[in-house]
Every structure is written in C-alpha cells, then in structure tokens.
Amino acid sequence: MGAVAVYPISGCGLFGDDEEKAQPPAPDPLAPLLAEARSLAGQHEAAIAAFPVLAERLTPVAEAHREHAAALAKVIKTPEPSASASASPSPPAGDAKGTLAALRAAEQKCQKAAAQACQAAPAERAALLGSIAAACATHLEVVR
C-alpha cells in the first residue's frame, strides 16, 4: 500500500485568503472630516496673516479646528502631519469682508458634514462629531 499525503489546503489561497490580505484597509469614514478640520485651521490662520485685525476673532476658531483635527486623528489612529509637511493655504483673495464670507461658507460646510457623520457614526464617535458640529455652528457667529 502506498502512503497517502495529506496537505492542508487552508491558507493556500484557493479560497481567496490571499486576496483579502492583499487589499488595503478601507479609509476611515472620518478621514474627510479630519482633512476638512486641518484645512479650516489653515484657512483661518491664512486669514489672520492677511488681516491681522481679525486675529482676535479668528485665533480661537483656528485653535478649535486644530483641536478637532487632533481628536479626529487620535480616533482614527492617524498621525498628525509635521509642521513642514502640512501645506499652507494660499492667502485669501479680496478684502476682510470677503474673507469672512468665505470662512463662513467653509464653516457651514464643515458643520453639515460633521452633523451628517454624527448621525451615521457609532456611539463612541458620535459625541466627538456632535461636538465638532456644534463648534462649527458657533463659529458661524464669529465669522459673521
């Protein structure tokens, strides 16, 4: 009688295991909100640089967006970019009034995105997202 060889077939790729391992993980659904928070902080900082008279109004808002970005980065386990790696937004075009209008539109967009994300998020993320949406709503008054 001949010897029968027994070969395990699990893990050999016949059942799509290799394909699943080769796929990169899906991006976190909060990644766009993180990018938006970073962008808003930069936009406010650019406005402050272009119009120092707005610094008292806009500095706390820029700081809030940096804090939102840090909290989101922690939740989705993304490292904060280095200061040299983060792109500086271009200076705002026009006058201070036009800059405030552009910031207001950006805050409205962020508020809406955070509120929608809050509704779809699991409970452990909803509080952070609700807080960001509420903060953006208050920022609308500051950039009025």
Side-chain angles (χ1 to χ4, degrees):
M1 293 211 189
V4 177
V6 178
Y7 296 101
I9 59 172
S10 66
C12 68
L14 291 175
F15 299 106
D17 293 341
D18 291 338
E19 288 179 21
E20 289 177 18
K21 291 177 186 173
Q23 296 293 330
D28 193 286
L30 298 184
L33 198 56
L34 171 59
E36 193 164 12
R38 288 176 176 161
S39 174
L40 271 168
Q43 289 174 52
H44 283 278
E45 290 163 356
I48 292 166
F51 305 103
V53 70
L54 297 176
E56 189 175 334
R57 287 171 70 180
L58 299 183
T59 298
V61 177
E63 290 172 0
H65 286 299
R66 280 193 299 274
E67 290 172 10
H68 296 158
L72 287 165
K74 184 177 178 180
V75 166
I76 65 177
K77 297 173 178 58
T78 299
E80 283 291 312
S82 66
S84 60
S86 56
S88 299
S90 57
D95 60 2
K97 186 176 180 179
T99 297
L100 288 172
L103 289 173
R104 184 168 174 75
E107 291 288 350
Q108 286 174 325
K109 181 179 174 229
C110 182
Q111 191 271 333
K112 184 177 180 181
Q116 288 175 339
C118 181
Q119 292 173 350
E124 64 271 8
R125 292 180 168 196
L128 172 62
L129 297 169
S131 175
I132 292 171
C136 289
T138 61
H139 297 164
L140 291 172
E141 293 303 312
V142 174
V143 297
R144 193 174 280 279

